[in-house]
Amino acid sequence: MATLHANRLSRIAVAPSVTVLLVWMIVPLALTVWFSLLRYNLLDPGTESFAGLGNYRYFLSDPAFFKALFNTLAIVVNVVGASVVGGILLALLLDQPIYGRGIVRIMIISPFFVMPTVSALVWKNMMMHPVSGILAAGMTALGLTPIDWIGDLPLTSVSIMLAWQWLPFATLILLTSLQSLDQEQKDAAEMDGAGFVSQFVFITLPHLARPMAVIVLIETIFLLNVFAEIYVTGTGGTAGNLSYLVYFQGLLNFDVGGASAGGIVAVVLANIVAVFLIRIIGRNLDS
């Protein structure tokens, strides 16, 4: 009886916070769904009418949608692949007793704390500028023609910026896991004559499987919503993803209904990817 009373009190105690959270999530989503069913143009206010699923048909049949979907997936694959591979290499380096290891760790991790807009501006104007950028100066010094990264390789440029930001996160997670690796296991492998490659393939990589799965999951969820780097660099026309396409429909094309439909489509796709990854990674963690 006392347990039932305690459970009832605990439900009553958490009810206000749960209600606020539900309202906080459901109200914006419900409004977005409602707007997605309207013919609603900001240049013609007061003439909204019910459009049914017309906005969804328009958004899903637009060639820009397939291009944005491809760019979204390409950015995710490029950045996750680069951060996992680069993170493993940097974690192996930082795990060694090198001189100034503490300072090197701070320098490598610091890009993760730079704001996305600042990162995009730095890469656009100081690193990738075809005239005054550091990469252009390096190529000129080598006798090569500088590359207009933003203009000629927009998708690659955005992927490089994002990989620079997310590589420290992967490095930090992998380094933490690497330092928990049993040293006696490595010593036993060395006594059996196993070289560095064999130890890496049969001991280190299996040990890093779980943190790699976590990195893939977290980075994928965040990278599906990238916007600042594409907006600041002005690459939305060529490297625009789903987030940028929704912004374009809503604030540049003044089509609130189409933008809302795009937002709902993006939410559904993101949830499908998230559920798919969680199921795969959950099995990996259980095993």
Side-chain angles (χ1 to χ4, degrees), residues 76-128:
V76 171
V77 172
N78 291 340
V79 177
V80 171
S83 59
V84 169
V85 174
I88 291 175
L89 296 176
L90 286 176
L92 290 173
L93 173 66
L94 295 177
D95 193 42
Q96 304 302 315
I98 60 175
Y99 179 74
R101 186 170 57 178
I103 297 176
V104 173
R105 286 180 178 177
I106 293 174
M107 291 178 64
I108 289 178
I109 293 172
S110 58
F112 187 63
F113 302 102
V114 178
M115 289 185 290
T117 49
V118 175
S119 168
L121 285 172
V122 168
W123 276 94
K124 179 182 179 182
N125 298 311
M126 298 181 66
M127 298 295 293
M128 293 181 171

Side-chain angles (χ1 to χ4, degrees), residues 199-278:
Q199 291 185 42
F200 177 75
V201 172
F202 297 107
I203 297 177
T204 305
L205 269 184
H207 182 74
L208 296 178
R210 290 186 177 184
M212 282 194 290
V214 173
I215 291 168
V216 171
L217 175 63
I218 294 176
E219 290 196 5
T220 299
I221 292 173
F222 278 93
L223 291 170
L224 287 172
N225 302 314
V226 166
F227 176 76
E229 288 80 1
I230 297 173
Y231 178 77
V232 171
T233 56
T235 56
T238 50
N241 58 358
L242 287 176
S243 297
Y244 186 84
L245 183 59
V246 172
Y247 159 76
F248 179 84
Q249 289 290 344
L251 296 184
L252 298 184
N253 211 21
F254 307 109
D255 183 3
V256 176
S260 300
I264 296 299
V265 171
V267 169
V268 172
L269 291 176
N271 278 277
I272 291 174
V273 172
V275 170
F276 180 71
L277 284 174
I278 287 173

Side-chain angles (χ1 to χ4, degrees), residues 50-75:
F50 187 72
L53 298 177
N55 289 322
Y56 290 93
R57 283 195 294 271
Y58 166 74
F59 188 83
L60 293 174
S61 61
D62 188 351
F65 166 72
F66 297 100
K67 183 179 179 182
L69 182 61
F70 171 79
N71 288 340
T72 302
L73 297 177
I75 288 173

